[in-house]
């Protein structure tokens, strides 16, 4: 007699078996993929089962449920072993039994083993149901594999349904180049074949076709499929609306993209931030900032605004040099508590602030990015480029200081009445790289050579960046600009000593120093 406590089945781990077990309990364990509990219960039921012909049906059901437990646990060898045990006991497998194993083969993407089990099933005079073959189709990774199983359905007399066609069309779309004109034609042929089988396209079919037309840039054909959906009273789903908004936005058809989002809202579908971003970008692309701002406001009012919704408008105003509007948008975004802590968001904001020459604001956002852990040497180099392009040497010095020592690494010293940036302190910040040093040296070409020389030496001693011929060439150009032949010769000699081969630019700068 079974107790009401949990049983420990040797070698099977903890079970959940309770008093008076029955098929319903076994089915529950099978659905949960709890092999240990299912096997313990199975053995108890096996002891009391009718071994005569009258009990064969119940035994077959129990064996199938045990196999299902292995299937839901992802244990193909265990499912196969249970099948072999079943047949050794003289119990033939049912279509459901084979279907369970075929399902697991599909989930393991083991199509060769699925074919073996299909052959064993046929040898027993059984054929799988449409749902089982559709599951195998869904796990095919190539169109060739999908076509083999799709054609096998017809050869075995298994009815193909709309799901069968949708799966094959999905795989075809995944492998296709939509820039080719025959791709949409081939999808149309699949729809014709579907209709010849007496099957009508469903919502998923139309979504696939609309997506394909969108990717091919064929909005006329896309509209044709939408019209057919309307004629058949098939409402677009969220995926279809996503495709439509994306297609209209990329085609700069802002009004159509806007209408799609309005239709979603009317149907009770809450558009995600991505939808608002796409329609805002669409209005910006059509040079309509008022329309873009309207949808930013709608997104905020609905609580679906993200930083990505603001970016198209920020980029638009930065492009036309409207600094006031950009600062207002950033202020609104922060006041609304919009989350912006993503590397691409930070990079875009910093880039556009730099484009407007808003160096202080750019530095503030860089500090936030650094605090959030997203800043890297590439970001600092871009900001450094902006500072140098704006002739903001103070900001450039500050950036290098932050990179070298996290805030205390640059001092200013006097050398022949010329300011020299000298790296000091521990390098616990974002380490400068060769690009950083190249940017700084390039900016020193118009200054007296001693400044470039001092920075070159700091690369060796403090920055731990090995100078290249490019770095020496910047210093040589400073010599050429000021006619400093002595320093140029010393640099040329040092290059050879360090094993750096001069190039034609080095020779040209050396010659110009003498000119």
């Amino acid at each position: 007699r079974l107790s009401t406590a949990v049983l420990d089945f040797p070698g099977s781990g903890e079970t959940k078996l309770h008093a008076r077990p029955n098929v319903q309990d076994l089915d529950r364990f099978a659905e949960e993929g709890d092999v240990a509990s299912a096997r313990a219960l199975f053995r108890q039921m096996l002891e009391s089962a009718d071994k005569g012909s009258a009990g064969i049906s119940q035994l077959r059901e129990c064996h199938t449920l045990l196999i299902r437990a292995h299937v839901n646990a992802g244990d193909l060898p265990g499912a196969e072993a249970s099948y072999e045990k079943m047949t050794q006991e003289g119990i033939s497998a049912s279509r459901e039994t084979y279907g369970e194993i075929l399902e697991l083969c599909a989930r393991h993407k083991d199509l060769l083993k699925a074919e073996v089990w299909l052959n064993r099933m046929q040898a027993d005079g059984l054929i799988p149901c449409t749902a089982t073959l559709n599951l195998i189709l869904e796990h095919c990774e190539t169109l060739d594999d999908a076509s083999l199983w799709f054609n096998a359905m017809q050869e075995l007399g298994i009815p193909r349904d709309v799901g069968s066609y949708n799966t094959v069309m999905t795989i075809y779309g995944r492998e296709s180049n939509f820039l080719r004109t025959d791709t949409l034609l081939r999808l149309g042929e699949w729809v014709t074949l579907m209709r010849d089988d007496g099957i009508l396209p469903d919502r998923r079919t139309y979504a696939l076709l609309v997506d394909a037309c969108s990717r091919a840039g064929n909005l006329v054909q896309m509209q044709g499929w939408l019209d057919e959906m309307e004629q058949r009273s098939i409402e677009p789903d969220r995926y279809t609306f996503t495709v439509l908004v994306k297609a209209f936005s990329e085609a700069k058809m802002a009004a159509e993209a806007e209408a799609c989002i309005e239709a979603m809202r009317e149907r009770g579908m809450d558009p995600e931030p991505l939808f608002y971003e796409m329609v805002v970008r669409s209005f910006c692309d059509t040079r309509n900032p008022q329309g873009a701002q309207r949808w930013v406001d709608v997104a905020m009012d609905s609580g679906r605004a993200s930083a990505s919704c603001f970016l198209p408008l920020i980029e638009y105003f930065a492009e036309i040099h409207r600094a006031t509007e950009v600062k207002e948008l950033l202020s609104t975004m922060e006041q609304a508590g919009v989350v912006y802590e993503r590397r691409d968001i930070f990079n875009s904001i910093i880039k556009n602030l730099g484009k407007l020459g808003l160096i202080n604001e750019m530095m503030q956002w860089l500090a936030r990015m650094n605090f959030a852990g997203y800043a890297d040497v590439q970001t600092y180099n871009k900001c450094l480029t902006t500072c140098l392009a704006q002739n903001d040497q103070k900001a450039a010095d500050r950036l290098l200081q932050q990179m070298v020592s996290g805030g205390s690494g640059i001092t200013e010293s006097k050398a022949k009445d010329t300011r020299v940036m000298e790296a000091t302190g521990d390098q616990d910040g974002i380490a400068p790289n060769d690009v950083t040093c190249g940017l700084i040296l390039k900016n020193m070409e118009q200054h007296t050579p001693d400044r470039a020389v001092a920075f070159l030496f700091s690369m060796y001693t403090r920055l731990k960046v090995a100078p290249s011929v490019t770095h020496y060439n910047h210093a040589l150009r400073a010599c050429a600009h000021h006619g400093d032949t002595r320093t140029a010769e010393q640099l040329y000699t040092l290059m050879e000593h360090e094993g750096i081969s001069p190039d034609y630019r080095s020779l040209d700068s050396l010659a110009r120093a003498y000119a």
Side-chain angles (χ1 to χ4, degrees):
R1 180 177 178 82
L2 300 177
S3 72
T4 56
V6 174
L7 295 180
D8 287 327
F9 185 73
S12 299
E14 185 181 10
T15 66
K16 303 173 184 175
L17 188 56
H18 295 276
R20 292 187 293 278
N22 52 41
V23 174
Q24 285 74 26
D25 292 324
L26 185 58
D27 181 60
R28 177 166 54 84
F29 294 144
E31 291 301 320
E32 294 173 355
D34 185 350
V35 175
S37 297
R39 186 171 292 279
L41 179 57
F42 172 78
R43 289 187 178 182
Q44 295 292 333
M45 295 179 70
L46 199 61
E47 291 176 0
S48 60
D50 181 1
K51 303 300 191 296
S53 59
I56 292 296
S57 177
Q58 184 180 6
L59 286 171
R60 181 182 294 112
E61 182 182 7
C62 290
H63 276 285
T64 299
L65 289 173
L66 179 59
I67 289 172
R68 182 181 299 167
H70 284 285
V71 169
N72 288 333
D75 179 16
L76 182 56
E80 291 177 319
S82 294
Y83 168 86
E84 298 300 341
K85 179 69 174 175
M86 175 182 179
T87 55
Q88 288 170 9
E89 293 178 3
I91 301 172
S92 61
S94 65
R95 186 166 82 160
E96 288 72 22
T97 310
Y98 282 110
E100 297 287 353
I101 299 176
L102 282 170
E103 175 185 339
L104 188 52
C105 291
R107 282 162 49 187
H108 280 214
K109 300 185 186 300
D110 193 339
L111 300 184
L112 290 177
K113 185 160 284 189
E115 187 175 354
V116 170
W117 280 101
L118 178 61
N119 291 335
R120 294 180 74 167
M121 188 176 185
Q122 286 181 272
D124 279 354
L126 301 170
I127 58 171
C129 64
T130 300
T132 301
L133 268 293
N134 281 352
L135 188 64
I136 294 175
L137 279 175
E138 289 174 8
H139 287 84
C140 290
E141 295 185 336
T142 67
L143 183 61
D144 288 342
D145 286 339
S147 297
L148 286 173
W149 285 96
F150 184 79
N151 294 331
M153 294 178 74
Q154 185 177 31
E155 294 168 3
L156 295 171
I158 301 171
R160 296 181 294 206
D161 61 11
V162 67
S164 313
Y165 279 95
N166 287 343
T167 301
V168 177
M169 290 168 68
T170 299
I171 297 171
Y172 173 74
R174 195 168 62 218
E175 291 189 2
S176 297
N177 177 3
F178 285 91
L179 296 179
R180 292 180 48 175
T181 55
D182 62 339
T183 300
L184 294 182
L185 181 63
R186 178 64 180 136
L187 282 172
E189 291 172 354
W190 279 105
V191 175
T192 300
L193 183 60
M194 179 189 299
R195 286 175 169 143
D196 290 344
D197 272 355
I199 300 168
L200 291 176
D202 64 2
R203 182 179 284 106
R204 183 186 170 194
T205 315
Y206 287 116
L208 291 169
L209 294 168
V210 167
D211 184 36
C213 293
S214 168
R215 290 159 66 186
N218 191 332
L219 300 188
V220 174
Q221 194 166 342
M222 183 179 81
Q223 187 60 54
W225 292 118
L226 290 173
D227 292 342
E228 185 174 316
M229 286 182 71
E230 186 176 358
Q231 291 169 7
R232 294 186 55 209
S233 300
I234 297 177
E235 291 283 342
D237 58 7
R238 180 177 291 274
Y239 173 73
T240 307
F241 275 120
T242 303
V243 171
L244 290 172
V245 174
K246 182 175 183 291
F248 289 134
S249 297
E250 290 179 351
K252 300 182 180 180
M253 300 170 67
E256 288 77 1
E258 182 178 47
C260 287
I261 297 184
E262 291 286 13
M264 289 183 71
R265 289 160 59 87
E266 289 172 2
R267 288 166 172 77
M269 297 182 191
D270 183 19
E272 298 169 359
L274 174 64
F275 289 88
Y276 293 107
E277 178 192 352
M278 289 191 291
V279 75
V280 169
R281 188 169 297 281
S282 180
F283 275 108
C284 288
D285 288 342
T286 55
R287 321 304 287 178
N288 184 346
Q290 293 80 14
Q293 183 64 62
R294 183 173 69 254
W295 278 99
V296 168
D297 294 339
V298 171
M300 291 178 61
D301 291 342
S302 61
R304 303 297 276 172
S306 68
S308 298
C309 297
F310 287 82
L311 283 186
L313 206 47
I314 290 172
E315 293 167 2
Y316 172 80
F317 284 125
E319 192 67 34
I320 60 175
H321 305 289
R322 299 271 288 274
T324 301
E325 285 82 352
V326 169
K327 288 193 284 188
E328 288 175 354
L329 282 167
L330 290 174
S331 176
T332 301
M333 189 173 78
E334 291 186 88
Q335 290 173 7
V338 173
V339 176
Y340 52 77
E341 291 191 358
R342 255 178 36 202
R343 188 185 301 275
D344 59 324
I345 300 293
F346 276 118
N347 280 331
S348 180
I349 291 172
I350 289 170
K351 174 185 174 182
N352 285 289
L353 289 172
K355 186 183 293 185
L356 290 166
L358 299 173
I359 302 300
N360 288 336
E361 288 81 358
M362 181 188 77
M363 297 289 279
Q364 290 170 7
W365 279 91
L366 177 61
R368 294 176 187 176
M369 185 178 186
N370 196 24
F371 182 78
Y374 291 116
D376 56 19
V377 67
Q378 287 80 15
T379 309
Y380 270 86
N381 285 343
K382 289 175 183 176
C383 291
L384 184 60
T385 301
T386 301
C387 293
L388 294 173
Q390 297 288 332
N391 294 317
D392 193 334
Q393 189 64 49
K394 184 176 180 180
D397 289 351
R398 203 163 82 221
L399 278 173
L400 186 61
Q401 177 180 348
Q402 292 172 6
M403 295 177 74
V404 173
S405 62
S408 61
I410 295 295
T411 62
E412 294 184 4
S413 63
K414 294 290 182 177
K416 296 183 182 179
D417 298 323
T418 302
R419 188 172 50 130
V420 176
M421 292 187 295
E422 181 181 307
T424 64
D426 296 329
Q427 293 192 24
D428 57 0
I430 295 175
N433 61 10
D434 59 330
V435 176
T436 314
C437 297
L439 291 169
I440 293 170
L441 282 167
K442 182 178 180 181
N443 190 60
M444 293 178 176
E445 289 180 5
Q446 304 301 315
H447 298 275
T448 53
D450 53 354
R451 187 175 176 191
V453 170
F455 188 82
L456 266 177
F457 278 106
S458 73
M459 290 177 65
Y460 284 109
T461 59
R462 299 293 184 180
L463 302 182
K464 308 301 183 186
V465 177
S468 67
V469 66
T470 301
H471 299 111
Y472 274 94
N473 284 345
H474 289 308
L476 284 169
R477 287 193 190 98
C479 295
H481 184 74
H482 289 85
D484 189 340
T485 56
R486 182 172 175 272
T487 304
E489 288 176 355
Q490 290 175 342
L491 285 171
Y492 199 83
T493 301
L494 182 60
M495 288 176 71
E496 294 179 331
H497 180 267
E498 294 294 325
I500 300 172
S501 300
D503 59 15
Y504 74 92
R505 296 181 182 86
S506 314
L507 295 171
D508 178 68
S509 295
L510 184 61
R512 286 194 296 111
Y514 281 94

